[in-house]
Amino acid sequence: GDSVTQMEGPVTLSEEAFLTINCTYTATGYPSLFWYVQYPGEGLQLLLKATKADDKGSNKGFEATYRKETTSFHLEKGSVQVSDSAVYFCALSDQEGGSEKLVFGKGTKLTVNP
Amino acid sequence: NAGVTQTPKFQVLKTGQSMTLQCAQDMNHNSMYWYRQDPGMGLRLIYYSASEGTTDKGEVPNGYNVSRLNKREFSLRLESAAPSQTSVYFCASSARAPRGQPQHFGDGTRLSIL
């Protein structure tokens, strides 16, 4: 079946450092790819998405590019802030019967220190 | 802007007790989902409903039942709770089209079974 593998962490960075969280996937079809973020005590929020090869999703300074040849969707940010501390989840969806069922990676906890 | 509302937010049960987790969305979405989140496991799909009147099993359905009461509401029932069902439960909803629709999550129900 479909699966997502992401860097498990935890990752600890200083403010203004560069962030990369690796994510690779296995899928039988042609999935859409997502990054979700979870702040403490909250549900998941969509951070960015891409639906076809070479698409770049971006939001709040975060970026990820859908790479079909390497089956990857790595998350990057040029300069992290303390407020970026959260758990980040890579996910894919393969539309089946009209539903976009998500398959998640295990999550990467990011802590940014001042 | 309520989005996805889950009740209760916290619950403690004894082994063998039953309970129903409630979920409602106000975004007129066709599809709804129930996930559980366990440490180091990411989120795993329990059941989903592609549209009103239909439900299907996800990755970990054993020990659970669901009801799609109407387009807005999707409930999850534990008939005889077990300690292995201690988890954080998230409800989500999404539109059906076009492809790549993101899911919108509630804030979760934290369930402990003693």
Side-chain angles (χ1 to χ4, degrees):
Chain A
D2 296 350
S3 66
V4 174
T5 302
Q6 68 177 98
M7 204 165 99
E8 289 196 14
V11 175
T12 302
L13 296 174
S14 298
E15 206 164 23
E16 299 184 2
F18 184 86
L19 169 71
T20 300
I21 301 177
N22 290 336
C23 172
T24 57
Y25 68 89
T26 303
T28 52
Y30 196 166
S32 298
L33 301 175
F34 303 84
W35 277 100
Y36 283 85
V37 59
Q38 185 180 32
Y39 299 101
E42 298 184 10
L44 278 69
Q45 303 173 25
L46 177 69
L47 181 59
L48 52 84
K49 70 172 188 179
T51 58
K52 60 183 189 294
D54 300 325
D55 263 3
K56 178 185 285 189
S58 61
N59 186 25
K60 299 180 181 180
F62 291 89
E63 293 183 340
T65 301
Y66 191 142
R67 300 288 188 200
K68 196 168 189 301
E69 64 276 14
T70 55
T71 62
S72 65
F73 193 54
H74 304 320
L75 182 68
E76 296 182 337
K77 186 175 186 182
S79 176
V80 293
Q81 305 300 312
V82 172
S83 57
D84 294 327
S85 297
V87 181
Y88 292 82
F89 292 93
C90 184
L92 67 81
S93 75
D94 231 337
Q95 199 174 50
E96 180 182 316
S99 275
E100 299 265 5
K101 294 192 296 179
L102 286 172
V103 175
F104 286 91
K106 294 183 178 181
T108 302
K109 184 176 182 180
L110 170 67
T111 301
V112 180
N113 295 318
Chain B
N1 292 341
V4 178
T5 303
Q6 292 184 235
T7 55
K9 294 189 184 306
F10 303 93
Q11 186 70 49
V12 178
L13 293 178
K14 294 181 179 177
T15 298
Q17 287 185 317
S18 63
M19 83 160 294
T20 300
L21 308 186
Q22 307 286 354
C23 175
Q25 53 92 8
D26 63 2
M27 294 171 283
N28 201 35
H29 286 162
N30 285 300
S31 300
M32 297 186 73
Y33 313 82
W34 277 104
Y35 296 90
R36 60 178 289 173
Q37 183 179 27
D38 301 295
M41 299 292 291
L43 277 79
R44 293 180 292 171
L45 183 65
I46 305 171
Y47 270 93
Y48 68 101
S49 171
S51 61
E52 187 179 353
T54 69
T55 61
D56 284 287
K57 295 178 180 179
E59 182 185 354
V60 289
N62 291 346
Y64 305 95
N65 287 300
V66 290
S67 296
R68 185 73 184 265
L69 303 169
N70 47 55
K71 191 172 185 180
R72 290 187 63 249
E73 298 173 288
F74 188 39
S75 63
L76 178 72
R77 183 162 178 83
L78 287 70
E79 290 291 352
S80 179
S84 61
Q85 294 178 304
T86 293
S87 189
V88 182
Y89 290 85
F90 288 98
C91 178
S93 69
S94 70
R96 289 187 67 173
R99 181 173 178 276
Q101 290 298 304
Q103 292 183 16
H104 299 258
F105 286 81
D107 284 339
T109 294
R110 285 148 184 83
L111 182 60
S112 293
I113 299 161
L114 307 177

